[in-house]
Amino acid sequence: MSDLAIIGGTGLTRLSGLEITRREVVHTPYGEPSGPVTHGRLLGHAVAFIPRHGSTHNIPPHRVNYRANLWALRHIGLTHVVAVAAVGGVTPAMEPCRVAIPDQVIDYTWARAHTFFEEDLEHVTHIDFTEPYCAELRARLIQAGASAGLDVIDKATYGATQGPRLESAAEIDRLERDGCDVVGMTGMPEAALARELGLCYASCAVVANWAPGRGDGTVITMDEISANLVSGMEKVKRLLEALVTSR
């Protein structure tokens, strides 16, 4: 897939195994992206990569320039985007280190630049967001997971919260009542903006910790999250390698 871009989230500020060929600085009408687009080859296949939170992981979720990141990827000719994200597990199946390919999203974020359709419009524009993720790319990710021998969860509802704080236990109870399986801070407006640009976009969610009030109910620490992401991101690497080598 020479038209594939990967957006790296927490735990994936650089793509292990990527043979870098060049870095491309892209200026956009919406400000600067999180960093240059890194072009390279993964197992001999062309891939582009951008770290959502910056190369030093210093951009918090509510300050990510989602519009600039996605506009930059499309501007340079990329059409398929795999968005890797660390999430918290809400429902019992979503235990730490599991990988899920969400099929639905609920947006709890606020005050983020969430659309391209607001200035100098010839007419009001609405997008169909019934199925928020690209079915073609979701299917390929699920198949890649199977090919890599991973027990990937093929359906999940992603609850996108504002951050940067983690949620309260009561908020997680609400999210579960609403039907959320995982919770993260970057799933929106990224998915909707990708749809507005006509990108084939899918999410690869790595469970980094039990959500507040889940699991054994202990306090969540960054050490715990980091340790789980080491294992989880190794699975993501295997999945991505299987994806780029699939036909």
Side-chain angles (χ1 to χ4, degrees):
M1 295 179 69
S2 60
D3 53 3
L4 176 66
I6 298 165
I7 299 177
T10 298
L12 192 66
T13 55
R14 55 187 54 84
L15 187 57
S16 174
L18 181 67
E19 179 188 347
I20 297 173
T21 56
R22 63 188 175 97
R23 289 184 172 89
E24 182 175 6
V25 175
V26 183
H27 301 291
T28 88
Y30 304 97
E32 297 305 303
S34 298
V37 179
T38 299
H39 296 268
R41 304 192 73 80
L42 185 63
L43 297 184
H45 296 266
V47 169
F49 177 81
I50 189 168
R52 184 187 289 113
H53 299 285
S55 60
T56 60
H57 200 262
N58 65 326
I59 306 173
H62 66 295
R63 298 298 297 273
V64 172
N65 194 336
Y66 298 96
R67 292 196 297 184
N69 287 347
L70 290 163
W71 190 95
L73 295 177
R74 198 189 79 159
H75 179 69
I76 62 177
L78 301 166
T79 59
H80 291 65
V81 178
V82 173
V84 180
V87 298
V90 175
T91 50
M94 300 298 175
E95 61 187 3
C97 303
R98 293 299 299 273
V99 175
I101 311 300
D103 64 319
Q104 282 294 327
V105 64
I106 301 177
D107 187 8
Y108 301 94
T109 66
W110 47 272
R112 299 183 181 189
H114 64 279
T115 182
F116 292 103
F117 300 134
E118 59 184 4
E119 300 290 344
D120 302 319
L121 300 178
E122 294 182 1
H123 53 80
V124 175
T125 302
H126 303 284
I127 58 166
D128 177 20
F129 206 53
T130 306
E131 302 295 334
Y133 302 106
C134 174
E136 169 206 339
L137 191 51
R138 283 194 70 253
R140 293 193 64 173
L141 284 168
I142 293 165
Q143 180 56 51
S147 298
L150 302 173
D151 185 16
V152 171
I153 298 175
D154 61 5
K155 284 190 175 183
T157 296
Y158 180 124
T161 58
Q162 178 69 2
R165 69 168 176 84
L166 298 175
E167 304 75 28
S168 70
E171 287 171 327
I172 295 301
D173 288 343
R174 174 200 174 191
L175 265 65
E176 185 168 20
R177 290 194 298 271
D178 286 351
C180 297
D181 298 289
V182 296
V183 58
M185 301 175 189
T186 59
M188 289 292 287
E190 198 172 80
L193 291 168
R195 178 62 54 84
E196 288 186 352
L197 291 176
L199 294 168
C200 182
Y201 172 100
S203 174
C204 178
V206 183
V207 183
N209 56 278
W210 285 113
R214 299 300 184 265
D216 59 13
T218 58
V219 173
I220 299 168
T221 67
M222 290 309 299
D223 287 343
E224 172 196 0
I225 291 173
S226 297
N228 288 332
L229 284 178
V230 170
S231 173
M233 289 304 171
E234 179 59 32
K235 294 178 181 178
V236 170
K237 178 187 175 184
R238 290 165 54 193
L239 187 151
L240 293 175
E241 288 175 344
L243 175 68
V244 299
T245 55
S246 65
R247 292 291 185 265

